[in-house]
């Protein structure tokens, strides 16, 4: 059956949105490990040079980040310089879209088998916690509660707002090519 | 709590009941098996459980070509290689795993090597690596707890690298699982209790977890009902063949349930405790089950309240006000643990095990946070939460 132009447009828009969100998330992950001690404590347990990717199967958007050292992550874009250590793969673009548009929580997506994990499960659990923390910081509370299992009681308004501002500032700086990742 | 999306898969032929073993030759002939190999452990051999299997095969016209009876409790890649070598030397064409979780996992891993070729098991580690069906494989469980006969997972230690290699593929599932009450009739009381609590935990976590679904719910509730009805009668009368079969079936049903909806916080804590303190898995499950349910209580009140019906029966369920059913279910599990403690000394606290130091609790909590099962806990778990929970389970 022929795909109508409107459907083609929807598919393209969905792909563009997921790709754009991966770009933002990758940069935000890098920024968060520069400003948030708790996220940094989590990522410090990863081996230096550890490569993590999120990918949409079969040939959708990709996001690659590297643990450089001391808990710092660096966004590498869509290409990995060597074999990936941990890959979280969405089975379909629709599944990725549901997660990054906050229609389905990450934990529920795992439970619903929307995603596959290729690599050490312990690291996947750790990276899921880091992604959850990122979402609680960078999303408004009403969206964050849709993305994570429980919104952390300990995260106060001031800490969240200040953290989000610092993360977004660094993402912006990174986007316009003036990043200072290790200050 | 019910999920709007789910997957459910269980293609294993379950052959259960009296004289179930005697169906094995016919099943093997149906797959053109002529030279099967048995993979088991010394304990099974010494307990005399090998004999009925050999007799059933002999009488059914199938000659067992080789027996490997040296599977250790924590099996390793070198053991799997040894089995694969014996399989090839004896020109075998099928594997029969006879035993508990370790023998079954070892049988699954050996089947990978003999089907895929080579001696490097690690290259097949991970999810979805196997791309085609393996050689004929049959499982005869001799404990009623792990549910390994219906799960598509195996874990084998790589002793050289000091890591555990996980294997996940639907091709690991056996062609048939034989559930015969003779195989669990001589199980010692403390193992009967611990493995039944393992099965109870599988079913409970399957029923309250994030990945619960209507089909796994059906298996989970049926399993819980059987355990609630038969565990104490079997503890009182270990030779109760009907009860033994019901517990074995409960274990298989709980296995089908959790392999389609995953386990949760109890398993995350139990895996960590087993790794740090070398406590048996079933004991760990029994230790943590009520505490993990209490931790998640406000997120699972409705399904947990429903479990009271299956665990304690309709009379107790009807007598309990709706808002108290979840707490009553936890109380019923605690009472069951007390009964098991009285009958066989099954520990109820970490302190009672005599194998855990209070100073290890922080490390247990930390390790549990990295366990994959924790993702399926309804309530998010932080280090402080996990540590508080293991401290409550201490004494």
């Amino acid at each position: 059956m022929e795909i109508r132009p409107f459907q083609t447009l929807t598919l393209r828009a969905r792909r563009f949105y997921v790709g754009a969100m991966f770009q933002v998330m990758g940069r935000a992950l890098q920024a968060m490990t520069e400003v948030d001690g708790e996220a940094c404590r989590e990522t410090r347990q990863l081996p230096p040079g550890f490569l993590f990717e999120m990918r949409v199967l079969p040939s959708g958007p990709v996001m690659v980040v590297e643990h450089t050292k001391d808990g710092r992550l660096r966004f590498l874009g869509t290409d990995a310089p060597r074999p990936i250590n941990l890959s979280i793969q969405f089975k379909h673009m629709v599944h990725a879209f549901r997660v990054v548009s906050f229609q389905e929580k990450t934990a529920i997506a795992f439970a619903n088998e929307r995603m596959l994990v290729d690599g050490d499960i312990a690291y996947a659990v750790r990276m899921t916690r880091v992604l959850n923390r990122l979402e609680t910081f960078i999303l408004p509370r009403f969206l964050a509660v849709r993305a994570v299992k429980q919104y952390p009681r300990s995260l106060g308004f001031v800490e969240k707002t200040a953290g989000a501002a610092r993360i977004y500032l660094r993402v912006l700086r990174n986007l316009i090519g003036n990043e200072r990742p290790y200050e | 709590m019910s999920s709007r999306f789910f997957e459910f898969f269980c293609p294993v032929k379950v052959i259960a009941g009296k004289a179930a073993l005697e169906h094995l030759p016919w099943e093997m002939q149906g797959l053109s098996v002529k030279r099967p190999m048995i993979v088991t452990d010394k304990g099974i051999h010494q307990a005399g459980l090998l004999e009925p299997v050999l007799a059933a095969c002999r009488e059914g016209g199938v000659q067992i070509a080789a027996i490997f009876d040296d599977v250790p409790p924590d099996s390793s890649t070198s053991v799997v290689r040894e089995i694969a070598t014996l399989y090839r030397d004896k020109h075998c064409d099928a594997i029969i795993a006879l035993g508990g979780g370790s023998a079954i996992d070892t049988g699954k891993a050996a089947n990978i090597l003999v089907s895929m070729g080579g001696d490097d098991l690690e290259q097949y580690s991970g999810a979805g690596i196997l791309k085609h069906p393996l050689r004929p494989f049959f499982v005869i469980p001799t404990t009623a707890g792990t549910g390994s006969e219906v799960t598509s997972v195996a874990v084998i230690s790589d002793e050289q690298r000091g890591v555990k290699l996980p294997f996940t593929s639907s091709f690991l599932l056996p062609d048939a699982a034989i559930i015969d009450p003779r195989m669990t009739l001589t199980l010692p009381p403390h193992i009967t209790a611990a493995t039944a609590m393992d099965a109870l935990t599988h079913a409970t976590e399957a029923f309250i977890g994030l990945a619960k679904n209507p089909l796994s719910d059906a298996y989970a509730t049926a399993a819980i009902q059987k355990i609630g009805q038969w565990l104490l009668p079997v503890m009182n009368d270990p030779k109760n063949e009907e009860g033994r079969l019901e517990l074995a079936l409960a274990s298989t049903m709980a296995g089908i349930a959790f392999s389609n909806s995953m386990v949760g916080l109890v398993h995350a804590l139990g895996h960590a405790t087993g790794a740090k303190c070398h406590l048996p898995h079933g004991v760990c499950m029994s230790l943590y089950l009520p505490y993990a349910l209490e931790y998640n209580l406000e997120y699972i009140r409705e399904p947990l309240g429903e479990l009271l019906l299956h665990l304690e029966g309709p009379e107790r369920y009807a007598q309990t006000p709706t808002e108290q059913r979840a707490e009553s279910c936890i109380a019923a599990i605690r009472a069951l643990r007390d009964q098991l403690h009285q009958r066989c000394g099954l520990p109820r606290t970490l302190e009672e095990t005599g194998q855990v130091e209070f100073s290890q609790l922080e490390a247990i909590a930390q390790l549990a946070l990295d366990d994959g099962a924790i993702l399926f806990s309804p309530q998010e778990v932080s280090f402080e939460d996990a540590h508080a929970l293991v401290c409550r389970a201490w004494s």
Side-chain angles (χ1 to χ4, degrees):
Chain A
M1 200 163 82
E2 198 180 328
I3 298 177
R4 292 177 188 160
F6 177 73
Q7 285 176 312
T8 309
L9 197 63
T10 306
L11 297 179
R12 280 189 187 161
R14 198 151 55 201
R15 189 184 179 94
F16 175 79
Y17 176 81
V18 172
M21 284 302 288
F22 275 10
Q23 290 285 316
V24 172
M25 283 167 65
R27 288 177 169 85
L29 277 172
Q30 173 176 324
M32 192 174 66
T33 55
E34 293 162 16
V35 303
D36 180 46
E38 193 168 325
C40 209
R41 268 194 298 280
E42 291 279 8
T43 47
R44 193 169 285 139
Q45 304 301 319
L46 304 171
F50 180 89
L51 290 178
F52 165 70
E53 74 165 11
M54 288 182 85
R55 164 185 296 276
V56 182
L57 297 176
S59 54
V62 182
M63 168 195 91
V64 182
V65 295
E66 177 188 25
H67 174 227
T68 51
K69 60 176 181 176
D70 301 329
R72 294 289 180 89
L73 296 180
R74 184 171 60 181
F75 177 56
L76 298 182
T78 57
D79 295 316
R82 53 188 179 278
I84 291 287
N85 300 96
L86 172 67
S87 177
I88 292 182
Q89 301 161 352
F90 291 93
K91 288 179 181 173
H92 194 278
M93 185 67 74
V94 166
H95 302 154
F97 181 75
R98 286 178 62 81
V99 170
V100 299
S101 61
F102 319 112
Q103 296 174 59
E104 191 162 81
K105 296 174 194 290
T106 312
I108 299 293
F110 268 116
N112 287 348
E113 309 210 25
R114 314 287 200 196
M115 303 175 323
L116 305 168
V117 174
D118 188 4
D120 192 319
I121 293 289
Y123 290 142
V125 175
R126 194 168 283 274
M127 284 309 297
T128 304
R129 279 201 297 274
V130 175
L131 286 166
N132 282 344
R133 187 155 178 86
L134 174 69
E135 287 169 330
T136 57
F137 264 106
I138 67 171
L139 297 175
R141 186 174 173 138
F142 77 94
L143 273 182
V145 294
R146 298 181 59 165
V148 299
K149 246 194 263 184
Q150 277 100 43
Y151 191 85
R153 288 184 296 268
S154 58
L155 185 61
F157 177 76
V158 175
E159 187 190 356
K160 177 189 165 73
T161 313
R166 295 172 73 192
I167 291 170
Y168 275 122
L169 196 63
R170 281 163 194 259
V171 169
L172 200 63
R173 205 186 282 162
N174 188 298
L175 275 169
I176 59 176
N178 188 25
E179 74 271 38
R180 287 181 293 166
Y182 302 120
E183 65 185 10
Chain B
M1 283 296 290
S2 73
S3 179
R4 284 177 293 173
F5 169 88
F6 70 90
E7 293 181 6
F8 187 92
F9 183 70
C10 183
V12 178
K13 181 172 185 177
V14 176
I15 300 165
K18 288 193 179 210
L21 273 182
E22 281 68 20
H23 282 252
L24 182 58
W26 194 87
E27 292 298 325
M28 289 195 285
Q29 284 156 2
L31 293 171
S32 302
V33 172
K34 291 187 173 60
R35 295 179 60 78
M37 172 188 193
I38 292 179
V39 173
T40 187
D41 62 61
K42 287 258 188 295
I44 299 295
H45 203 158
Q46 284 159 6
L49 296 178
L50 192 52
E51 272 315 309
V53 180
L54 294 177
C57 290
R58 201 182 306 124
E59 209 175 348
V62 175
Q63 188 66 39
I64 300 294
I67 299 172
F68 183 93
D69 68 353
D70 208 9
V71 175
D74 188 14
S75 195
S76 64
T77 49
S78 62
V79 172
V80 173
R81 276 197 296 272
E82 211 176 317
I83 293 169
T85 304
L86 181 62
Y87 181 103
R88 289 166 185 146
D89 288 348
K90 298 286 184 183
H91 306 288
C92 299
D93 55 8
I95 289 177
I96 303 167
L98 169 68
S102 183
I104 297 172
D105 276 13
T106 306
K108 288 175 181 174
N111 202 26
I112 295 175
L113 275 192
V114 300
S115 304
M116 305 296 289
D119 277 326
D120 181 13
L121 192 60
E122 192 193 341
Q123 64 178 304
Y124 304 113
S125 177
I129 306 292
L130 304 175
K131 299 294 183 196
H132 61 76
L134 307 182
R135 299 275 180 90
F137 180 51
F138 303 89
V139 171
I140 308 170
T142 59
T143 62
T146 68
S148 299
E149 66 276 15
V150 284
T151 66
S152 53
V153 179
V155 179
I156 299 291
S157 294
D158 182 338
E159 67 273 67
Q160 282 186 337
R161 293 200 301 136
V163 295
K164 295 211 169 196
L165 300 177
F167 303 86
T168 307
S169 167
S170 58
F171 298 128
L172 294 179
L173 288 163
D175 294 284
I178 316 288
I179 317 292
D180 191 306
R182 282 172 286 177
M183 294 291 104
T184 53
L185 213 51
T186 54
L187 210 56
H190 66 284
I191 298 181
T192 302
T195 51
M197 289 304 287
D198 186 16
L200 180 65
T201 307
H202 288 155
T204 305
E205 292 212 289
F207 194 73
I208 60 155
L210 288 182
K212 78 194 249 76
N213 65 70
L215 297 184
S216 69
D217 284 356
Y219 283 97
T221 52
I224 288 168
Q225 190 191 357
K226 286 182 187 300
I227 294 166
Q229 186 179 346
W230 288 103
L231 178 53
L232 292 180
V234 167
M235 292 300 290
N236 293 336
D237 172 21
K239 296 291 178 194
N240 181 335
E241 205 166 299
E242 185 187 1
R244 287 290 190 185
L245 176 62
E246 292 297 318
L247 288 183
L249 281 175
S251 166
T252 300
M253 295 168 100
I256 294 172
F258 90 82
S259 61
N260 283 284
S261 58
M262 291 301 294
V263 284
L265 180 56
V266 187
H267 274 77
L269 293 165
H271 292 154
T273 308
K276 289 283 174 197
C277 311
H278 308 290
L279 274 181
H281 178 70
V283 172
C284 295
M285 298 298 99
S286 181
L287 284 169
Y288 288 121
L289 180 57
Y291 300 100
L293 293 176
E294 281 169 354
Y295 176 76
N296 274 306
L297 184 59
E298 293 315 316
Y299 296 84
I300 58 172
R301 187 169 279 284
E302 192 186 326
L304 189 59
E306 194 187 327
L307 284 191
L308 183 67
L309 170 67
H310 306 287
L311 190 61
E312 291 282 281
E315 205 166 305
R316 168 84 187 276
Y317 180 79
Q319 286 167 355
T320 309
T322 309
E323 66 277 10
Q324 291 173 20
R325 282 174 183 158
E327 282 88 350
S328 294
C329 186
I330 297 174
I333 291 170
R334 282 184 187 281
L336 181 62
R337 295 191 330 152
D338 289 341
Q339 294 280 337
L340 295 174
H341 181 72
Q342 276 177 19
R343 283 166 171 82
C344 67
L346 188 74
R348 293 161 299 180
T349 64
L350 289 167
E351 194 175 25
E352 278 180 358
T353 65
Q355 286 179 250
V356 183
E357 301 287 334
F358 188 80
S359 59
Q360 291 177 297
L361 301 192
E362 268 194 32
I364 291 171
Q366 191 63 56
L367 192 58
L369 287 187
D370 284 344
D371 192 281
I374 212 158
L375 287 172
F376 301 93
S377 170
Q379 183 172 196
E380 195 67 84
V381 186
S382 67
F383 168 74
E384 289 74 21
D385 298 327
H387 187 239
L389 199 157
V390 291
C391 285
R392 279 200 294 281
W394 169 253
S395 69

